[in-house]
Amino acid sequence: MPGDAEKLRRNTTIDSPENYDPEQIRRSSRAPSQSDRLCVGFQQPEMGAAETPSPDGSTRHYCHHTPKGFLMVHRGAHGTSARSTPSQFGEEAWHEGTSKTTIRAENEVEAHREANNYKFGFRKWKGNVTEKPIEDRSDVVKELYSDLSIVKPQEGSVVTFGNIVYIFLFGWWLSFIYVLVSLVMFLTLIGIPYGKLCLRLAWYFIWPFGKSVEKMGGAVSKSSKRPPASERIADERDAGDHREVGREKDSSPLLVSSPIPVEIPVPERSTRKCSKHWCRVSTYVWLLVGFPLLALCHALVCVISWLLVFTIPVSKMSGRTLGIVLLMAPEDVRIHRLEKTVVYETRVILCCYHAFNLYYYKYTVQGINIFALNLLPLVVITLIMGYADHHHNYFSPEAKFALAITSIIPLSYYIGMGIASISAQSNFAVGAVVNATFGSITEMTFYITALLQGHRAGTKCYEEIVKAALTGTILGCILFIPGICMIIGGIKHREQRFNSRSAGVSSALLFISIGGVFAPTLFSKTFGNLMCDNCYNVPGNVSVPFVCKDCHYDTTHADPHLILSHIEPLVYSISVLLPASYLIGLIFTLKTHSHIYDIHISDGHGGHAHGGHHVVHWSRWRALLVLIVATVLMACCADLTTENIEPMLKHSSISQYFIGVTVLAMVPELPEIVNGIQFALQNNISLSLEVGSCIAVQVCMIQIPLLILFNAFYDVGFVLVFSDIHLWASIFSVILVNYIFMDGKCDYFQGTALVVVYFILLALYFFAPSPRSC
């Protein structure tokens, strides 16, 4: 103990021996014995190696000091302290605890979300549902949320490809507008100061990089090699406060990094009086003549650069110019070029180094990804175009169909985030109900609206489109999603391993699903009548008197007694057995055999994630409101999709099979594909595979029984009999996937095999003839 205290004292000394309290060191050295957590820090050369834990229960907890504080990771199965661990756990408990896969979470809500990702039947969600403090994020992410008001040390050259592209997209015409406005302000005579400001801003916006806009007389530090008017913080105190300082030092924590004396620039107080430009006539001439045109131009630049996502720095620059710079007195605006000798950060009004940043795909607003946020106005445009132009006077059906199907993408994202938010803040029962209710709402909305549209039109073509979309979702989820995740994850991580036991459960459920869904199809082939639509006689050919084309098994012309007494009971039996199998899978994976996932969630500071301050992006009520609104909008977009697809079904040269299998099946699953790819990039291929398997199982065991139930109460003519192409494509895909999932590891070659097979099946659908009912 004395040796540990001496070592701790050396590592926490700040400036002098007077900065520590020996009594507090003795108290701190006894604190770890009462802790219930394990602390593991990064090994430091000056401290020596940490003690390797032994299988003995008494030494399962080990700790050493790290200058950054504590980084604690739960390694045991029970989380008890070293001195309070019962001896009966022993070596077996140690090995059982260390075999778990530990996933870090920032707080309790995020830990609950991570745990839900590994629950069978729950929607997999990658994004956070709580707001992570900006100080805990990486420097790359911090740069995304900067407001361009801080001068930072310049790294590298500002002559980049993105900055050059800025000149052609925005710089030249924005500077030209400034020159025109400056000429107008010069003609007014009274607005000459604003004319000079416009000339300076025109020169600035043609190349704003490496320059700063400052306010004269404001609290802005000038750039220099050494910060001016700086002094140590401790020196600001007078002699009468020494005892207060001593008390603060005595009560300061020991296990923190040693603070370094930092000189902070203290801006000199300006003696310049506040400008009275709001009382001038020239200000109002500027607001009436020059400002409106420039405001319109900057607003246009803001919108365009924001929609392009990667040019958001340009949007921020235009926004600050519009809201601050153009409303300042012209004599208060100062523009100068920054020097590379700046080695500290100062605050200015505007400073930008780069117009493009490729990392803006990570940018979020209230937890909403920037792409989903930018696509939200498209939903409003789709509804206005679809319902205002019902007779296609201004827009073609193809254009409205493309907008409606694209609008489903952000709505699917909002539904997924709403489900994840409610599940993460609720108990298991509420989360299960929300996932079961809203998990398939996107696909079910489209299927039901399509069947209703076909029933009103009196055609079976929409039913074939729905069956093609169902099959396309199954094929995409068991071939394309795992395949593309294996390729991207395998390129980064070479070889990835996953839990073969949990994958085996999903594979078994897939076999049950495919067998149940296509059982009525096999029944119709066995007992249905062989119908041929085109038969003709061949003169002079005695061996082959008739040649028949387009032959198929049809139950509609079979014995009515056969249909009523056999096919319908078979379909209803399957619609009961499939959800029952799904329920058994839930009980197996979540209750009786939950240990097969072998997952332990811990927070970023160690132990179980039950603490930590967090701010939830969406509360439960807000998430529920978003779910309801997104569902209503989804129903409207699905109705517009099915309404405007009719001209494509009648006049398109592409097979209706291909339209259903590709566009209608995979567009709503784009958020799931993105989540799976992000899991694979983080070397969590198990969740990537579960994303596809979970959706495929839900399609077969939940969505299809719900369609049968809907048809039972409102007969739209939906019969669970698929075409041969759907039958054999699904059976072949399930067999292939189960073969690849056997060994519990994957690489990019196996992923390529799955993707190639998927595209082969797409080519098969592309060249297949259209359904007979279409």
Side-chain angles (χ1 to χ4, degrees), residues 462-495:
Y462 286 89
E463 181 185 351
E464 293 296 331
I465 292 296
V466 170
K467 292 177 182 177
L470 288 169
T471 308
T473 304
I474 296 173
L475 297 179
C477 291
I478 64 179
L479 289 178
F480 181 75
I481 294 181
I484 197 68
C485 293
M486 287 181 184
I487 292 174
I488 297 177
I491 292 175
K492 182 178 181 180
H493 301 287
R494 188 178 178 85
E495 183 178 86

Side-chain angles (χ1 to χ4, degrees), residues 451 460 463 466-467 470 707-708 711 715-720:
L451 291 175
K460 301 287 289 184
E463 181 185 351
V466 170
K467 292 177 182 177
L470 288 169
L707 290 178
I708 297 172
N711 185 79
D715 189 5
V716 292
F718 179 75
V719 181
L720 196 63

Side-chain angles (χ1 to χ4, degrees), residues 625-768:
L625 179 63
V626 170
L627 280 179
I628 296 174
V629 173
T631 302
V632 174
L633 296 177
M634 179 72 70
C636 297
C637 292
D639 180 63
L640 292 174
T641 302
T642 55
E643 180 181 347
N644 293 283
I645 199 178
E646 183 177 359
M648 299 178 61
L649 298 179
K650 292 182 178 179
H651 307 292
S652 177
S653 58
I654 303 176
S655 173
Q656 286 79 3
Y657 283 137
F658 184 77
I659 296 175
V661 168
T662 55
V663 179
L664 302 181
M666 295 307 295
V667 168
E669 308 301 337
L670 284 179
E672 305 292 341
I673 297 175
V674 173
N675 282 335
I677 291 175
Q678 290 179 337
F679 286 131
L681 288 175
Q682 293 186 347
N683 202 19
N684 196 351
I685 195 65
S686 295
L687 282 186
S688 299
L689 302 181
E690 288 293 331
V691 167
S693 299
C694 183
I695 298 175
V697 171
Q698 285 183 348
V699 168
C700 297
M701 294 189 168
I702 294 181
Q703 296 177 16
I704 291 179
L706 286 177
L707 290 178
I708 297 172
L709 182 64
F710 174 77
N711 185 79
F713 286 96
Y714 189 86
D715 189 5
V716 292
F718 179 75
V719 181
L720 196 63
V721 176
F722 291 80
S723 302
D724 293 353
I725 187 173
H726 301 323
L727 171 65
W728 302 120
S730 301
I731 292 177
F732 175 73
S733 300
V734 172
I735 294 175
L736 176 63
V737 167
N738 277 272
Y739 174 76
I740 290 182
F741 285 178
M742 284 194 308
D743 57 352
K745 55 185 178 181
C746 62
D747 48 43
Y748 72 90
F749 176 75
Q750 293 177 335
T752 304
L754 294 179
V755 173
V756 168
V757 171
Y758 177 73
F759 283 118
I760 290 174
L761 295 177
L762 290 188
L764 180 65
Y765 280 105
F766 181 81
F767 294 106

Side-chain angles (χ1 to χ4, degrees), residues 281-298:
V281 179
S282 60
T283 301
Y284 295 96
V285 173
W286 160 255
L287 293 177
L288 293 175
V289 178
F291 180 78
L293 180 59
L294 293 177
L296 179 63
C297 293
H298 278 292

